[in-house]
Every structure is written in C-alpha cells, then in structure tokens.
Amino acid sequence: MVRFLPFLISLVLSVYALFSCIQTPDEDVPHLPKLVWIVLIVFVPFVGPIVWLLMSRTQGGGGREAVVRPSQPVSRPLAPDDDPDFLKSLDRYRDPRTTVKPPEPEDPKNKTSDDDSPSDNDEGTA
C-alpha cells in the first residue's frame, strides 16, 4: 500500500492543479500561457502542479478585488408571488373562460324593489 502513496499523491495534486488552471481566467494566469501551464501540470509530475499552485497563489491575491456587500439588504419581494408587478403581468395569460369574476355590486339607483311595484295579486287598493 505504501508503494502506491507517491503515485496517489501525484495524481491528486495533478488533478487539483489542472482544474485550478482550467478555471482560472486567461488574464489571471501567471507568467506563461494557460496551454503551457496545462502541459507542465500533466507531463511533469510533482513539480508542475506544485509550481502552478505556488505561482497562482502569489499572482492571484493582488489582482482580485473582494466583493463588497451592502450593510443593509435591498428591500424587495422575496418570491415572485409576493411581487405585485409580477402578479399584474400574469393577467394577460389568464383564460377568461375559466376565470371566475366576483359578482358586481348592484347600483341602488337602478334597483327596482318588489315593495314599490304592484304585484299581480295586488288590486291596487290600500
């Protein structure tokens, strides 16, 4: 088991360095083109990955800026169903045949009452 340990360490180190190199933007790659770094990492065991990790750590710290988050969160709805603008935009997708509308309130001026109008059984006498 101890015989495979150097090979396993080299393999893990190479895979980690290779993924790190591939994910690094081209402008952040130190000193050499990215393709040269990939060849060094793959074909020079131990030395290639270690040099990449050391060079990328010293190069990457100064060029990147930290993300600054605002101290107070911006007030906005947390979900689409809480956003009134989003809910209004859904009105155009509703099917009018399946949408149940609430009954409209009757206007008291146009309402005719059964008490005021004579009925068929009423003879008009008081």
Side-chain angles (χ1 to χ4, degrees):
M1 181 67 183
V2 177
R3 296 183 310 187
F4 298 112
L5 192 60
F7 173 73
L8 188 61
I9 291 172
S10 174
L11 181 67
V12 170
L13 192 62
S14 296
V15 168
Y16 178 77
L18 186 64
F19 278 103
S20 172
C21 180
I22 290 172
Q23 291 179 350
T24 303
D26 289 338
E27 60 270 1
D28 291 342
V29 175
H31 305 293
L32 297 173
K34 188 184 275 191
L35 185 61
V36 174
W37 278 112
I38 291 172
V39 169
L40 284 174
I41 291 169
V42 171
F43 291 114
V44 182
F46 283 114
V47 176
I50 290 173
V51 170
W52 163 255
L53 292 173
L54 292 175
M55 295 299 285
S56 67
R57 298 293 181 241
T58 58
Q59 182 77 10
R64 296 182 186 169
E65 296 189 18
V67 176
V68 178
R69 297 196 180 232
S71 60
Q72 295 178 348
V74 178
S75 64
R76 62 181 177 136
L78 299 177
D81 57 344
D82 294 336
D83 187 5
D85 295 330
F86 175 75
L87 294 175
K88 288 177 188 174
S89 72
L90 292 178
D91 286 339
R92 63 179 164 186
Y93 297 112
R94 289 198 176 117
D95 187 6
R97 296 173 291 176
T98 59
T99 304
V100 177
K101 294 182 180 178
E104 295 181 11
E106 295 182 16
D107 190 14
K109 295 177 184 175
N110 296 337
K111 182 179 176 184
T112 56
S113 167
D114 289 339
D115 296 339
D116 295 342
S117 62
S119 65
D120 293 338
N121 294 339
D122 238 359
E123 296 178 6
T125 59

